[in-house]
Amino acid sequence: MKKVIALFALIAVTVAVWLGASFYSARTTGNYVTSLPALYKQNNYMHIKTVEHRQSAFSSSGKFSVRFPNFMPFSDLAALEFIIQYEISNLLMPDSAGRLEWRLMGNEALAPMLKQIFGQGPTAHGKGSIGYDGQRQSSVELSELLFKDAQAALKLAPLTGVATWDNETLRLKLQSDQLNVRSENMVTDLRGMKLDVNLSNRALGIGTYDFTIDKGSSEFSTFEGMKLTKTASLENDRFNFVIAQKIKQYSFEKFKLRDVDQELAFRGLDKDSLMSISAVLRDVKAVNQLTADERLKLSTALRNLFDKGFS
């Protein structure tokens, strides 16, 4: 009898510890989500704002906005903003500290425009997990995009991939089988597109960006094996940017090229000057709508960038 009581006591203690740890994990995850706006407050490329957050004992849910302030600074669509809805379960399991599901949509201004262009509008969603080491991973799925009117037609095959990230790093892999664009003056067909992003410092964009296309064709040209690579690094408070392009085979009517390999590099760019430029452009709607103070800060940063030199 004593052994049975001891066994039940051990089970009760184990369950209590499990539930207590799950409760703590849920609170920790919730605090992290609600702290995202502060973490990205000084980020010049992306802003996050909590729209809604609901916390329960072992889970949380809600939504927040993700804004890219410098998406198209020379257009009316200067900033691009999306809403991400999420659900997180934090009951501890042997393989993960939590499971998450998310869905992305346009904000109030963007969603109607997307729906008007693509009918029901594109949907992006994914499922993932939270590791005990703080590493997070999720699948990424974007529905097929279809657009057609009297002047043009567009088709993007479903986009699929996986994202892995922690507080500093990001690894993102996406792929789509086809992009087809047709208009009165243009026809383009791309097959086998892949995007591979590997960042060691997500806030500064330090790392590599690879974009590959297996083959493509237009009205007069074809190509195979195209790869575009951007590498960003930081050494002694100086940014280095290298853009490389490789094409296995290219033809334009009777003109043909093979094994094209070219590179464009900007080295030794002053970090403080670039960050100042990004900070000025972060919140403006358009470059031609700067205040006098913003114009002064921008011109000063540009002058410092050239005065300090680069190669």
Side-chain angles (χ1 to χ4, degrees):
M1 186 65 178
K2 291 182 178 180
K3 291 183 178 180
V4 174
I5 295 175
L7 178 61
F8 276 107
L10 178 61
I11 294 174
V13 170
T14 302
V15 171
V17 171
W18 173 58
L19 292 177
S22 297
F23 178 82
Y24 176 78
S25 177
R27 286 293 182 269
T28 302
T29 301
N31 291 337
Y32 171 76
V33 173
T34 55
S35 71
L36 287 175
L39 292 174
Y40 284 86
K41 186 177 182 179
Q42 300 301 321
N43 190 292
N44 295 331
Y45 311 104
M46 184 172 70
H47 294 169
I48 293 179
K49 179 181 179 182
T50 300
V51 178
E52 181 181 300
H53 180 75
R54 297 179 296 273
Q55 185 72 51
S56 63
F58 306 111
S59 63
S60 59
S61 62
K63 56 185 176 181
F64 57 83
S65 67
V66 178
R67 182 175 181 267
F68 301 93
N70 299 320
F71 177 67
M72 296 178 66
F74 294 98
S75 73
D76 293 335
L77 191 62
L80 191 64
E81 186 171 349
F82 296 95
I83 302 295
I84 295 181
Q85 295 180 336
Y86 61 89
E87 294 182 3
I88 304 173
S89 171
N90 285 107
L91 280 174
L92 300 183
M93 295 296 175
D95 60 342
S96 66
R99 277 73 50 208
L100 61 92
E101 295 186 23
W102 59 270
R103 182 174 180 266
L104 180 146
M105 65 198 74
N107 67 345
E108 292 181 358
L110 186 60
M113 183 180 69
L114 294 175
K115 187 174 182 179
Q116 182 180 8
I117 295 175
F118 298 110
Q120 293 301 314
T123 60
H125 56 90
K127 295 182 179 181
S129 62
I130 304 170
Y132 287 98
D133 58 355
Q135 194 88 347
R136 305 164 184 93
Q137 70 86 26
S138 173
S139 62
V140 180
E141 298 181 25
L142 176 66
S143 62
E144 182 180 55
L145 299 184
L146 295 172
F147 167 76
K148 187 175 183 180
D149 64 11
Q151 287 78 37
L154 178 147
K155 175 184 177 182
L156 175 64
L159 197 66
T160 60
V162 62
T164 306
W165 71 98
D166 56 24
N167 292 343
E168 293 186 3
T169 67
L170 170 67
R171 186 69 188 270
L172 174 65
K173 289 188 174 184
L174 297 173
Q175 63 180 30
S176 177
D177 291 336
Q178 181 186 21
L179 172 63
N180 187 283
V181 182
R182 297 176 183 271
S183 68
E184 295 178 352
N185 303 315
M186 178 188 71
V187 55
T188 300
D189 187 74
L190 306 179
R191 301 295 179 106
M193 298 173 294
K194 299 180 182 68
L195 175 67
D196 190 343
V197 178
N198 189 358
L199 302 182
S200 58
N201 188 318
R202 193 170 66 244
L204 294 178
I206 301 300
T208 59
Y209 308 74
D210 287 330
F211 180 59
T212 61
I213 303 175
D214 291 341
K215 61 181 179 179
S217 61
S218 64
E219 185 176 0
F220 302 106
S221 65
T222 63
F223 69 85
E224 293 182 8
M226 191 278 283
K227 182 177 182 179
L228 184 65
T229 301
K230 174 192 171 185
T231 303
S233 60
L234 182 65
E235 299 178 11
N236 300 320
D237 285 335
R238 295 272 181 164
F239 278 110
N240 301 313
F241 300 100
V242 179
I243 301 174
Q245 184 182 40
K246 295 182 179 181
I247 302 177
K248 184 177 180 180
Q249 180 176 303
Y250 175 81
S251 64
F252 179 80
E253 294 183 339
K254 296 182 179 180
F255 181 74
K256 294 184 179 182
L257 289 174
R258 290 183 180 275
D259 299 322
V260 177
D261 190 346
Q262 51 189 348
E263 180 179 285
L264 175 65
F266 299 93
R267 305 183 189 277
L269 295 163
D270 180 60
K271 174 188 173 183
D272 292 338
S273 300
L274 285 180
M275 297 301 290
S276 297
I277 293 171
S278 296
V280 171
L281 298 177
R282 179 175 56 195
D283 296 318
V284 300
K285 292 184 177 180
V287 175
N288 59 354
Q289 296 179 4
L290 298 174
T291 65
D293 183 57
E294 289 169 338
R295 286 196 298 270
L296 177 61
K297 290 180 179 179
L298 182 60
S299 61
T300 301
L302 287 170
R303 184 168 58 252
N304 289 338
L305 179 65
F306 284 99
D307 288 344
K308 293 182 179 182
F310 58 90
S311 58

